[in-house]
Amino acid sequence: MLNKYNKLAKYYYEYTSIFNNNKLMYKIINKTLQQINNKKLKILDVGCGTGEVTQKIFKRGFHKITGIDKSFSMIEIARKRNRKIKFIRIDFFKFSTRKKFDVIIVTTDVINHINKQKINDFFKKCYRLLKYNGIIIFDINLYQYLKNISNKRFIKKINNSTIVWDTKRFGNILYIYLLFKTNKNSFLEKYKQYMYSEAYIEKILKYNKFYILSKKYDYKYIINKRSKAFYILAKNNI
C-alpha cells in the first residue's frame, strides 16, 4: 500500500472493514485456493497492509506465502502478528525475485492506488512473476461507485473511534481526506484513488495475455449499489 497509511496502520483493519466486504473477499480467495487444492502453492500478497489476508491464508495451511507492502508501519505490524510469514517492505515495482508464484493476490483497493501511467506495467510485472497457468485474484473499486461517492462526507463509528471520510473528485481521480478520531488522539490522512472503468481494465488484461476466469460484484458498501469487482485471472487459457 502507500506510505500515506503509516499513521493509519494501527487502525487499518477496522477502517477497511467499513468500506470493504471482507467476508466476500475471503470467500473468493478461499474457494479459489481450495479448487487448486495444493498446500505447497507459492503465493504473493501485493499491498498486504498489516497482513490480515496473508495471515488468514497462512492459517488455512498455505505456508509458502509472501506479503509485500510499501508502508514501514504496516509491515512492522504484520511481522509482529506472525513471525513465520515472510513480510517484505518494498514497492511492488522495485520488488525483484527469481521465484515464480502460483498465485498473486491484490486486494483492498490496491489497483485503485496505481496511476494510469503504471497500471499496464503492474499487470505486465504480475505476468512475469507468475508460473505458467498462474492465477491472479484482485479487486477494484468501480468507476461509477467512486463517482457516486464523490464530493461527499461519510461518518462512521467503530467502538470508541470515529471516522470522517471526505471525498473530492478532480477528473478521474478521487481525493480522500480521512479524519480518524479516538478518545486519546486524532489524525488526518490524505490519499487518492484512480478511477478505472471495467472496459479499460479488461483491455489491459487482454493486452497482457490474461484470461478472466471469474468476475463477481460486491454491493455491500456505504451506498447500496454495485461498488467493487473481484476478478480471478489465469496467465494462460487453462
Side-chain angles (χ1 to χ4, degrees):
M1 296 295 288
L2 305 177
N3 284 327
K4 293 288 185 182
Y5 282 113
N6 279 337
K7 291 181 181 178
L8 184 62
K10 184 179 178 181
Y11 310 98
Y12 179 71
Y13 183 71
E14 292 181 346
Y15 166 65
T16 57
S17 66
I18 293 177
F19 301 105
N20 293 284
N21 186 349
N22 290 336
K23 288 184 179 180
L24 177 59
M25 177 178 67
Y26 294 135
K27 182 179 179 180
I28 291 170
I29 293 172
N30 289 333
K31 184 177 180 180
T32 304
L33 296 180
Q34 285 171 4
Q35 287 175 340
I36 301 173
N37 192 28
N38 182 358
K39 296 295 184 180
K40 294 183 179 180
L41 288 174
K42 291 182 175 67
I43 303 171
L44 179 65
D45 186 5
V46 178
C48 65
T50 56
E52 297 293 337
V53 174
T54 326
Q55 290 188 73
K56 286 185 181 295
I57 295 171
F58 184 87
K59 289 177 180 178
R60 291 239 171 211
F62 299 94
H63 293 167
K64 293 185 177 181
I65 185 167
T66 301
I68 64 173
D69 200 287
K70 192 175 180 180
S71 167
F72 175 81
S73 299
M74 295 283 192
I75 288 295
E76 283 300 296
I77 291 174
R79 286 171 177 164
K80 288 177 182 177
R81 287 179 172 175
N82 194 327
R83 298 288 183 183
K84 294 181 180 179
I85 299 175
K86 185 177 182 180
F87 288 107
I88 304 171
R89 182 199 170 218
I90 193 169
D91 186 321
F92 175 72
F93 291 101
K94 296 179 181 178
F95 178 63
S96 178
T97 179
R98 293 181 180 180
K99 185 187 297 184
K100 295 287 186 179
F101 296 92
D102 298 286
V103 180
I104 294 178
I105 295 172
V106 194
T107 55
T108 56
D109 310 342
V110 169
I111 297 297
N112 294 100
H113 290 299
I114 304 170
N115 65 39
K116 196 171 184 179
Q117 289 70 40
K118 290 185 176 181
I119 192 70
N120 184 71
D121 290 339
F122 178 86
F123 286 106
K124 185 177 181 179
K125 182 162 186 175
C126 286
Y127 189 92
R128 291 200 309 268
L129 288 170
L130 281 171
K131 293 180 181 180
Y132 184 82
N133 289 344
I135 299 291
I136 295 183
I137 304 169
F138 79 90
D139 65 22
I140 184 169
N141 282 330
L142 298 176
Y143 185 96
Q144 191 60 45
Y145 163 68
L146 294 178
K147 182 179 178 181
N148 287 340
I149 65 171
S150 299
N151 305 313
K152 292 178 182 173
R153 166 172 283 193
F154 303 94
I155 301 174
K156 296 284 182 179
K157 291 182 181 284
I158 316 173
N159 300 324
N160 296 321
S161 305
T162 302
I163 296 176
V164 182
W165 210 54
D166 288 299
T167 62
K168 299 290 181 183
R169 179 189 171 200
F170 296 94
N172 290 329
I173 303 175
L174 185 70
Y175 291 84
I176 299 169
Y177 304 87
L178 177 67
L179 178 63
F180 202 101
K181 297 189 292 185
T182 67
N183 292 335
K184 296 181 179 180
N185 53 37
S186 64
F187 57 86
L188 178 68
E189 291 284 351
K190 302 176 186 177
Y191 61 98
K192 54 191 173 185
Q193 290 206 7
Y194 296 91
M195 301 166 64
Y196 296 113
S197 69
E198 293 170 77
Y200 181 81
I201 289 295
E202 290 171 17
K203 182 179 179 180
I204 290 175
L205 298 179
K206 184 177 180 180
Y207 178 80
N208 284 285
K209 301 178 182 179
F210 283 111
Y211 294 84
I212 300 173
L213 300 178
S214 174
K215 180 168 69 170
K216 297 183 183 298
Y217 293 103
D218 183 13
Y219 294 82
K220 195 174 181 180
Y221 262 61
I222 51 179
I223 57 173
N224 190 25
K225 293 182 179 180
R226 180 180 287 182
S227 51
K228 183 186 288 287
F230 293 90
Y231 284 86
I232 302 174
L233 313 175
K235 179 175 178 177
N236 295 286
N237 193 4
I238 57 177

